[in-house]
Amino acid sequence: MKLNFKTRIALNYFVATGVVVALVFAVVYLSLKTTIYESLDSDLNYESEIHLEELNLTQMVFSNREEWEEREHEEVEVNPVFVQILNAKLEITDKSPNLNEERLQFFSQQEDNIHFNTTLNNRLIRQVQKPVKIDGVLKGYIITAMSFEASQKIIDQLLLILLISYPIIVFSLFFISRFLAGRSIAPIQNITAITEKINQNNLQERISLPENKDELYKLSASINSLLKRIEEALDRERQFTSDASHELRTPLANLRGNLEVLIRKVRSPEEYELKINNALKEIDRLSKMVEQLLFLARFDKQKTTAEKADLIILLDEALQRNKHQISARNLKIEFTNQLEKSAEVPKYYTSIIIENLLSNAIKYSFKDETIKISVEEKPSAIQLKITNYGEAIALEDQAKIFKPFYRTQNTKNLKINGTGLGLSIVKKAAEAINATIEIKSKPTQGTGVLVLIKKEA
C-alpha cells in the first residue's frame, strides 16, 4: 500500500503513541491489581495469625467460639473473613460461624502459605492454607479466606475504562499529527521527532519553543498545551477512579447491611426505625460524597468568577445555614469585622470556601466551645480567619489534609463522620480565585484556617 509522506508521518506517530499509552495503561492496571492482591494477602496473613492465637492446639478447635458467634451476630461484616480448621487427617474440626453449612475446600496440590483464588458457593474468594505444627509435628491446617468479588469488580472497572480510553487517545493523536504534517511538512519533521521523544520518555516533557514567535512557535505552544491537558486528564481519571471506587464501597456496604438485617425476620417498629435511620444516614453520606466527587471531577479554573458579593453577607448566610448544627453543639460564634468598607469577592468560589471551612469548624469543635471568625483588610488582600477549639491537627498531618480522602487518625478515633474531600474542594476553589490558604493547629491554641483573597488590580 502506497501512502503519502503526510500519512506515513502520522502513522509512525500513531504506532509510537499507541505503544507508549498501552505500556502506561498496562503499568497502571498491573500496579492496581498487584496492590489489591498484596493488600488482601496481608489481611489474610493477619487474620491467620490472630485466629491461630485463639486456637486450642490440643483439640484443634477455637477456644472462644461463643464470644466469636456473639460478636459476629451483632456486627455487620463488610468484607467477611472465613476460617476453617482441619486436623492432621484433613477432617474439619472447627470453622467460623459465618460459614454456616458451607466449607472451604482444601487443595492438596497447593503449596503451604501460598495465596490463591478459588470460589465458595460460586463466590470468588482469596484463600491461604497454613500448616499448624507443634514441635515440628503437623497437627492440621488453618484455612483463611476473604471475599474477592469487590476487589475484582474494581479491577474489571479499571480495565474497562482503560480499554475505552485507549482507542480514543491514540486515534485522536493520529489525526492531530496528520493535520499538522499536512500544513507544513518541512518544519513538522523536527517537531515530530521531538514529540516522538516525549512519548517515548514521559508526558511531563515539553517541546522547546522557538525564539521567533511565528506560526511554528504557536504550533509548538499548542502541542505543549495539549500534552498538559492529556497529562492532567489521565492523572484525574486514574486518581478519581481509584479513590472513588474505594471510598464508595463502604457506605454502599453499610446500606446493604442495614437492609439485609431488616429482611431476615420480622422486627419491632423501633428496630425498623433504627435501621432505616442508619440507612438514611448512609444515603446522605453517599449523596454528599458523590456531590463532592463531581465537583472535583468537573472543576475548571476557567469557570467565570465575574459575579461578586459582599464577604460579610456570605459569612452571615453560611452562619444562618448552619445555625441548627451550631445550636446542637452549643457553640458560640465570636465574630470580628475590621473592614472599613464592604469587601467584594467572587461569590461562587468564596461561598464554597466559607461553607466547607465553617462546616469543619462546627464538626471538629468540642461542645460548648467558641468558633472565632475574623475579617480584616491587608494591603493586597482580604484576610478571613476561622478558628475552632477541638482536637489539634498533628504537624505531620497538616501537609496532607488537602489531599482527597485524607483523614487524620484523630478524626477516625473520635468517629467523626466525613469524606475527606472538604479541604480538597477548598483548595481547588481557592486556586480558582488566586487565594492562599494556611492552617495552624496547636493543642489548647485551637486550629486556625487563614484565607487570603487577593484584591483585584
Side-chain angles (χ1 to χ4, degrees):
M1 181 184 299
K2 293 183 178 181
L3 300 174
N4 58 36
F5 189 53
K6 177 180 67 175
T7 304
R8 289 202 306 272
I9 294 176
L11 185 60
N12 290 337
Y13 185 64
F14 168 80
V15 173
T17 304
V19 171
V20 173
V21 174
L23 289 174
V24 172
F25 281 8
V27 169
V28 172
Y29 177 78
L30 292 176
S31 297
L32 177 66
K33 187 175 181 180
T34 301
T35 301
I36 290 175
Y37 272 97
E38 288 177 350
S39 177
L40 281 175
D41 293 348
S42 176
D43 290 344
L44 281 174
N45 289 334
Y46 173 80
E47 294 292 342
S48 296
E49 295 299 326
I50 291 298
H51 291 98
L52 188 58
E53 294 176 1
E54 301 173 347
L55 192 62
N56 184 329
L57 298 178
T58 304
Q59 301 177 1
M60 291 298 288
V61 295
F62 294 114
S63 56
N64 62 339
R65 185 174 181 81
E66 292 183 0
E67 179 185 344
W68 194 0
E69 289 179 348
E70 181 179 353
R71 185 172 68 245
E72 189 165 287
H73 176 72
E74 293 177 352
E75 296 179 355
V76 177
E77 294 184 289
V78 177
N79 195 18
V81 179
F82 306 104
V83 185
Q84 182 173 289
I85 306 301
L86 304 179
N87 59 21
K89 297 179 181 180
L90 302 182
E91 298 171 339
I92 298 176
T93 57
D94 207 349
K95 59 183 179 179
S96 57
N98 57 9
L99 278 171
N100 299 321
E101 299 300 321
E102 300 172 344
R103 57 179 292 174
L104 298 172
Q105 185 178 355
F106 179 81
F107 294 87
S108 57
Q109 70 276 17
Q110 285 287 348
E111 295 183 30
D112 295 339
N113 301 312
I114 298 298
H115 302 80
F116 58 93
N117 294 338
T118 182
T119 57
L120 174 65
N121 193 23
N122 296 323
R123 292 176 296 172
L124 186 61
I125 60 172
R126 185 79 170 163
Q127 182 171 312
V128 63
Q129 302 169 171
K130 295 193 173 186
V132 180
K133 296 182 179 180
I134 302 179
D135 298 329
V137 179
L138 181 66
K139 289 294 183 178
Y141 288 86
I142 178 170
I143 305 176
T144 312
M146 294 179 70
S147 173
F148 190 59
E149 290 182 335
S151 300
Q152 187 61 48
K153 188 176 294 184
I154 294 176
I155 294 173
D156 293 340
Q157 184 181 8
L158 177 62
L159 179 60
L160 178 61
I161 291 174
L162 295 179
L163 290 176
I164 294 174
S165 303
Y166 181 77
I168 296 174
I169 293 173
V170 295
F171 278 105
S172 297
L173 291 176
F174 170 77
F175 287 111
I176 290 172
S177 65
R178 192 174 186 275
F179 170 74
L180 296 176
R183 290 189 61 184
S184 182
I185 295 297
I188 285 299
Q189 290 178 343
N190 182 47
I191 295 177
T192 301
I194 297 175
T195 53
E196 285 179 345
K197 179 183 177 182
I198 290 175
N199 283 278
Q200 288 169 358
N201 295 322
N202 53 66
L203 288 173
Q204 284 75 37
E205 293 188 12
R206 295 292 181 263
I207 298 172
S208 299
L209 297 176
E211 295 181 0
N212 297 324
K213 294 186 177 182
D214 53 12
E215 291 79 9
L216 189 57
Y217 178 93
K218 294 180 181 179
L219 181 59
S220 301
S222 298
I223 295 177
N224 283 344
S225 177
L226 174 63
L227 290 170
K228 182 179 179 180
R229 291 197 300 271
I230 292 174
E231 180 187 353
E232 291 175 347
L234 288 174
D235 289 342
R236 284 198 303 269
E237 185 178 57
R238 284 196 293 267
Q239 188 67 43
F240 181 83
T241 302
S242 175
D243 292 343
S245 297
H246 179 270
E247 294 296 329
L248 290 175
R249 279 189 301 162
T250 300
L252 288 173
N254 291 341
L255 182 58
R256 182 182 180 88
N258 279 301
L259 297 177
E260 286 180 342
V261 168
L262 289 179
I263 63 174
R264 287 176 183 169
K265 64 178 182 180
V266 177
R267 299 181 181 275
S268 66
E270 291 78 12
E271 289 179 300
Y272 278 115
E273 183 177 358
L274 176 62
K275 294 299 180 183
I276 290 173
N277 283 331
N278 288 340
L280 289 173
K281 289 180 181 178
E282 291 300 330
I283 291 173
D284 290 340
R285 179 186 172 196
L286 189 60
S287 298
K288 184 175 181 180
M289 187 183 299
V290 170
E291 181 180 350
Q292 292 175 325
L293 284 171
L294 288 175
F295 177 88
L296 290 175
R298 296 172 179 173
F299 177 81
D300 185 2
K301 291 183 180 179
Q302 303 304 318
K303 181 166 183 170
T304 178
T305 56
E307 187 177 1
K308 305 291 182 179
D310 188 285
L311 179 59
I312 304 303
I313 294 177
L314 294 180
L315 282 167
D316 183 66
E317 291 174 349
L319 289 170
Q320 289 299 316
R321 285 193 297 270
N322 291 274
K323 63 181 180 181
H324 295 298
Q325 293 91 323
I326 294 171
S327 177
R329 297 181 61 82
N330 196 28
L331 299 172
K332 295 180 284 294
I333 303 297
E334 182 179 312
F335 181 72
T336 304
N337 180 10
Q338 298 181 5
L339 296 176
E340 296 181 359
K341 57 182 180 180
S342 63
E344 295 291 314
V345 294
K347 180 178 180 180
Y348 178 74
Y349 288 113
T350 306
S351 295
I352 291 173
I353 293 171
I354 293 173
E355 186 65 30
N356 280 280
L357 293 182
L358 182 60
S359 176
N360 278 357
I362 296 169
K363 187 189 304 181
Y364 297 113
S365 290
F366 292 139
K367 287 186 176 180
D368 306 317
E369 273 290 355
T370 299
I371 296 176
K372 296 182 179 180
I373 303 174
S374 65
V375 180
E376 63 178 295
E377 188 170 355
K378 298 292 183 180
S380 61
I382 304 298
Q383 177 180 291
L384 165 66
K385 186 176 183 180
I386 299 178
T387 305
N388 74 85
Y389 295 88
E391 285 288 338
I393 302 173
L395 186 61
E396 61 269 22
D397 289 327
Q398 292 180 26
K400 304 175 184 177
I401 55 178
F402 291 105
K403 294 181 179 179
F405 298 105
Y406 184 83
R407 304 194 73 210
T408 64
Q409 192 58 47
N410 279 343
T411 60
K412 297 176 183 177
N413 293 339
L414 295 173
K415 297 182 179 180
I416 299 176
N417 292 330
T419 62
L421 292 171
L423 288 179
S424 299
I425 291 174
V426 168
K427 184 178 181 182
K428 291 286 187 181
E431 291 173 352
I433 58 175
N434 295 318
T436 59
I437 297 179
E438 182 181 1
I439 291 183
K440 293 183 179 180
S441 181
K442 292 184 180 180
T444 72
Q445 296 184 21
T447 298
V449 184
L450 189 69
V451 183
L452 287 174
I453 305 172
K454 291 184 179 180
K455 299 178 182 177
E456 291 186 358

